[in-house]
Amino acid sequence: MESAGSAGSAGSAGLAKSAALKLSEMGERSKQLGSALRDPERQRRVILVIVCVALLLDNMLYMVIVPIIPDYLTDLENAQALRTHANSSLSRATRENLDIQIGVLFASKAILQLLVNPFTGTFIDRVGYDIPLLIGLLVMFVSTCIFAFAENYWTLFCARSLQGFGSAFADTSGIAMIADKYTEEAERSRALGIALAFISFGSLVAPPFGGILYEFAGKRVPFIVLACVCLADSVLVLTVIKPFSNRTRENMPVGTPIHRLMIDPYIAVVAGALTVCNIPLAFLEPTISRWMESTMNASEWEMGLVWLPAFLPHVLGVYVTVRLAAKFPDLQWFYGALGMVIIGASSCTVPACRSFGQLMVPLCGICFGIALVDTALLPTLAFLVDVRHVSVYGSVYAIADISYCVAYALGPVVAGQIVHHLGFVQLNLGMGLVNVLYAPALLMLRSVCQMRPSRSESNALLEDPPAGLYNAIRLEERRRARKGLCVTATNALPVDENGLFARSKSCSEESSGPEFT
């Protein structure tokens, strides 16, 4: 008995020792992960992943309802007709009313996002980029859950509008965070290009994703899956970026007000180009399915998958623009103008298509051109702020988001009316002509590209001091990170547990530096 007891105690001691070793290994790995995340380069990559997932989610939520909501609302109308002992087949007036409801539902997200963006841009400039990103992800999570369990039109409308509110925070702060973390021109273009690829992937893969899950698993499953991913991304923001422990925002300068950025002629030209280039995509999405059905007797799967092949040309356009921008950065305006010409030509050829295979070619051309314009002009907005204003990016990317929202707010409401009164051919010819005529306006950006100063850290250290206090702080943080110190103004401060410096009283009292106009 004693030997059995001693053997049992020895076994327990061995298990306890093994558990202690495993816990020690886990603690050591956690420390290694924490120290790795404090490395500026690795932290930038993790932040890029978090932002890309947020943008992917937002665009999947925007497009996942395309195959779900029309069929779901039709079922609701049929069920209501049966309850009232009416004819179960929908009348023509009811169908027209249903089309209006679907158009308003699709546009409500972009409309609310358009209204909220001017305020979110200012808010982001004041508090930084991380807290608004977390707010946006949490609001999108709530919106997705409401979508999953909504049982009537007005609940769906509230969920869609709430998604626009969350997108105004998440999209603007995410893109602005990328522009802030990647200060080198080539790196910034590459990072924003990756983000645009995720946006495109989310928009193009969401309809088949939603349609398949809706067909085989029901309405709730697609939204529950996206809600889980959204919640996981929010947890990553809390654990990696740690928004509520970040003290860098206390030393941020006051950014240029959004109304002053809007009247900057160069920023206005870029914003107009972003709106015009997205009009064909925004106007074709709600109208092309009916045109395909009437002209080529397209099946449901053809109408659902017609946009999916365009993902590859979009990624190709991003890749080509990033590589060209790295070699010839002064020609960003030309890449954008070329993209608008391609969009215009492709839009004009859409009505000539008579089969599913033929239609894919101009749609791929439209997405390729949009990739050229977006990848060239989104970094240009950050360059314009660096050269002509204070290097705080919330408001300028709120303007970019407003530009997109104008196109997507008008699309579901206006496109159908244009097709009804003028015809599908006239719609496409008009969109193509507008893009071609707007392209020469980008010639204005030539002078900006030529006078743009280098953003390289070595040049900033050897030549002129950084413009603005925030640039100086960020530059010193990077330069001193490996030595365990951060320099602000004239005081060297120890780095805290989050890899950030303690607040310097003298630094917070200084001005934000000159504003270039």
Side-chain angles (χ1 to χ4, degrees), residues 261-345:
L261 294 177
M262 284 181 171
I263 62 176
D264 185 310
Y266 300 104
I267 293 177
V269 167
V270 173
L274 293 175
T275 300
V276 171
C277 79
N278 280 277
I279 283 178
L281 188 61
F283 279 44
L284 284 175
E285 281 174 351
T287 58
I288 197 169
S289 295
R290 287 196 173 187
W291 177 78
M292 291 175 64
E293 187 177 8
S294 62
T295 58
M296 59 184 71
N297 295 319
S299 60
E300 292 290 335
W301 71 267
E302 287 177 329
M303 290 185 285
L305 295 179
V306 68
W307 290 101
L308 189 58
F311 171 69
L312 294 178
H314 189 279
V315 174
L316 177 63
V318 170
Y319 176 78
V320 169
T321 310
V322 169
R323 294 298 298 268
L324 289 175
K327 293 183 178 180
F328 309 103
D330 293 339
L331 294 177
Q332 295 276 56
W333 64 272
F334 175 74
Y335 311 141
L338 178 62
M340 299 192 78
V341 172
I342 294 173
I343 293 169

Side-chain angles (χ1 to χ4, degrees), residues 90-174:
L90 296 179
S91 65
R92 181 176 180 180
T94 305
R95 288 187 179 277
E96 289 180 357
N97 182 57
L98 190 61
D99 289 340
I100 294 173
Q101 287 182 338
I102 293 172
V104 172
L105 180 66
F106 276 56
S108 60
K109 185 254 188 188
I111 291 173
L112 188 65
Q113 191 172 346
L114 178 65
L115 296 175
V116 173
N117 259 315
F119 305 101
T120 58
T122 303
F123 178 74
I124 291 167
D125 284 348
R126 294 293 184 270
V127 305
Y129 312 112
D130 38 18
I131 291 178
L133 177 60
L134 180 62
I135 292 173
L137 285 170
L138 293 177
V139 172
M140 287 163 55
F141 169 74
V142 173
S143 166
T144 311
C145 292
I146 295 174
F147 255 121
F149 298 98
E151 298 293 341
N152 56 70
Y153 175 80
W154 291 109
T155 308
L156 292 170
F157 180 83
C158 292
R160 183 70 165 176
S161 302
L162 190 63
Q163 184 200 342
F165 183 83
S167 299
F169 281 90
D171 292 2
T172 306
S173 59

Side-chain angles (χ1 to χ4, degrees), residues 206-455:
F209 166 83
I212 293 171
L213 287 182
Y214 174 66
E215 180 72 24
F216 295 103
K219 178 181 78 76
R220 294 180 179 177
V221 174
F223 298 107
I224 291 174
V225 171
L226 294 177
C228 292
V229 178
C230 192
L231 186 61
D233 203 38
S234 303
V235 173
L236 276 176
V237 172
L238 282 172
T239 55
V240 175
I241 303 179
K242 298 181 180 179
F244 298 105
S245 63
N246 191 345
R247 300 178 184 176
T248 305
R249 70 176 61 91
E250 298 180 8
N251 294 307
M252 285 180 62
V254 177
T256 306
I258 191 169
H259 67 273
R260 290 188 58 188
L261 294 177
M262 284 181 171
I263 62 176
D264 185 310
Y266 300 104
I267 293 177
V269 167
V270 173
L274 293 175
T275 300
V276 171
C277 79
N278 280 277
I279 283 178
L281 188 61
F283 279 44
L284 284 175
E285 281 174 351
T287 58
I288 197 169
S289 295
R290 287 196 173 187
W291 177 78
M292 291 175 64
E293 187 177 8
S294 62
T295 58
M296 59 184 71
N297 295 319
S299 60
E300 292 290 335
W301 71 267
E302 287 177 329
M303 290 185 285
L305 295 179
V306 68
W307 290 101
L308 189 58
F311 171 69
L312 294 178
H314 189 279
V315 174
L316 177 63
V318 170
Y319 176 78
V320 169
T321 310
V322 169
R323 294 298 298 268
L324 289 175
K327 293 183 178 180
F328 309 103
D330 293 339
L331 294 177
Q332 295 276 56
W333 64 272
F334 175 74
Y335 311 141
L338 178 62
M340 299 192 78
V341 172
I342 294 173
I343 293 169
S346 301
S347 179
C348 291
T349 59
V350 167
C353 299
R354 290 295 176 264
S355 68
F356 175 74
Q358 292 175 0
L359 184 59
M360 287 192 298
V361 176
L363 294 183
C364 288
I366 290 174
C367 289
F368 180 79
I370 290 175
L372 292 181
V373 178
D374 289 348
T375 310
L377 297 188
L378 281 180
T380 301
L381 286 175
F383 301 153
L384 288 168
V385 170
D386 289 337
V387 173
R388 296 171 57 82
H389 304 278
V390 181
S391 296
V392 181
Y393 307 100
S395 291
V396 75
Y397 282 112
I399 294 173
D401 208 24
I402 289 171
S403 303
Y404 293 126
C405 291
V406 168
Y408 285 97
L410 293 175
V413 178
V414 176
Q417 298 298 319
I418 295 176
V419 172
H420 179 72
H421 293 288
L422 299 177
F424 188 78
V425 175
Q426 286 74 13
L427 172 68
N428 282 270
L429 292 178
M431 294 187 302
L433 185 62
V434 167
N435 272 273
V436 173
L437 292 178
Y438 195 93
L442 295 180
L443 286 168
M444 276 188 63
L445 301 178
R446 287 187 305 171
S447 59
V448 174
C449 294
Q450 291 169 0
M451 72 180 185
R452 188 171 64 230
S454 173
R455 296 283 299 165

